[in-house]
Amino acid sequence: MDIFREYNIKCTKQRQIILDIIKNNNGITIKEINELVKKEINLSTIYRIIELFLNKEIITKKIVDNVVIYELKEKTHNHYFSCNKCHKKTIIPKKDIENFENKIIMNNDYEVTSHNIEFRGICSKCKGK
Amino acid sequence: MDIFREYNIKCTKQRQIILDIIKNNNGITIKEINELVKKEINLSTIYRIIELFLNKEIITKKIVDNVVIYELKEKTHNHYFSCNKCHKKTIIPKKDIENFENKIIMNNDYEVTSHNIEFRGICSKCKGK
DNA sequence: TTGGATGCAAAATGTTTGCACCCGA
DNA sequence: TCGGGTGCAAACATTTTGCATCCAA
């Protein structure tokens, strides 16, 4: 499969299955993955594959409602405005984020290694009800 | 202590100690807390207190560098740059945030009701080792 | 063919729980 | 005083590891 070649790792049936599961379930726990594949994949293999995917940055680890979940890492590191009504996401232009980050750095002399920027509200379409 | 009264929970020596640690170490793991207090607080008590603080929303659980950390939940809605080494937080000036937000809104015609902005990295003091 | 990937079982870690005792309100 | 909080030990859950076998390249 393409993605395995891209990340230069061997393509196995187990890795393929787990990758598909993570793709199809946006935000899933180890326990849930295990429930889905316990007949075909050993739990220690699941841990090893998750570890591999994390190291290769194919997936990311997050906390949602105080629970650890895994989800596909977006290749392009984008930031979104999320509408609370229609739940659609709109990308905030990369240039805007960069300008903002540069300003923060310039003003403070920091080395920024990661950021998390998220806006929520009502989008223009939903504003007119 | 004030905060315990505010959240309507009993104030004990152990809770006070752990709250202070979380206050002073921005982003700390259970293991690190245990290292600091293992002489005076039992590990199961640490878990129980962390659980309590989470339920009362005194603290929040996050993932930084694929590790689960706990930190104080801010009441006043500020934005910070957090240093991964010394764990100090520096407030990002409100005006910077506002300018940024205004730009997003102007460019997209959104009504922003909430945002979450966070920068992490190495601060100027820690950069020189 | 062959080195890395997997399954299995066991070990190591991490988290929760029951209960007796303690202590803050 | 007394009900909730804590310490301790044991139970339970999660994660890692060693090794024999398997299989993708």
Side-chain angles (χ1 to χ4, degrees), chain A residues 10-86:
Chain A
K10 200 183 277 188
C11 174
T12 67
K13 193 187 55 160
Q14 292 88 337
R15 290 175 180 178
Q16 189 62 67
I17 291 170
I18 291 181
L19 182 61
D20 285 344
I21 286 175
I22 294 178
K23 269 185 184 165
N24 295 330
N25 295 272
N26 186 29
I28 192 166
T29 65
I30 294 269
K31 212 186 283 185
E32 287 166 342
I33 294 173
N34 189 40
E35 281 305 311
L36 292 175
V37 301
K38 68 165 87 173
K39 293 283 151 58
E40 34 187 353
I41 307 179
N42 190 272
L43 181 54
S44 59
T45 301
I46 296 176
Y47 278 106
R48 283 190 276 230
I49 290 175
I50 290 291
E51 183 66 20
L52 173 72
F53 286 179
L54 281 174
N55 284 335
K56 293 289 178 178
E57 302 196 337
I58 296 170
I59 62 173
T60 55
K61 196 174 174 179
K62 285 191 183 174
I63 292 209
V64 174
D65 296 332
N66 289 342
V67 171
V68 173
I69 58 135
Y70 299 90
E71 61 179 39
L72 218 59
K73 184 162 190 166
E74 310 228 8
K75 277 222 212 68
T76 52
H77 181 61
N78 280 322
H79 298 281
Y80 299 90
F81 170 89
S82 302
C83 178
N84 288 334
K85 283 200 179 172
C86 68

Side-chain angles (χ1 to χ4, degrees), chain A residues 86 88 122-129, chain B residues 109-110:
Chain A
C86 68
K88 273 196 192 131
I122 310 292
C123 76
S124 51
K125 279 186 187 167
C126 291
K127 240 201 303 199
K129 277 211 116 201
Chain B
D109 190 31
Y110 291 136

Side-chain angles (χ1 to χ4, degrees), chain B residues 60-75:
Chain B
T60 56
K61 195 175 177 181
K62 285 189 184 177
I63 292 208
V64 174
D65 295 333
N66 288 341
V67 171
V68 174
I69 59 136
Y70 299 90
E71 61 178 41
L72 217 60
K73 189 161 185 166
E74 300 281 342
K75 276 221 215 66

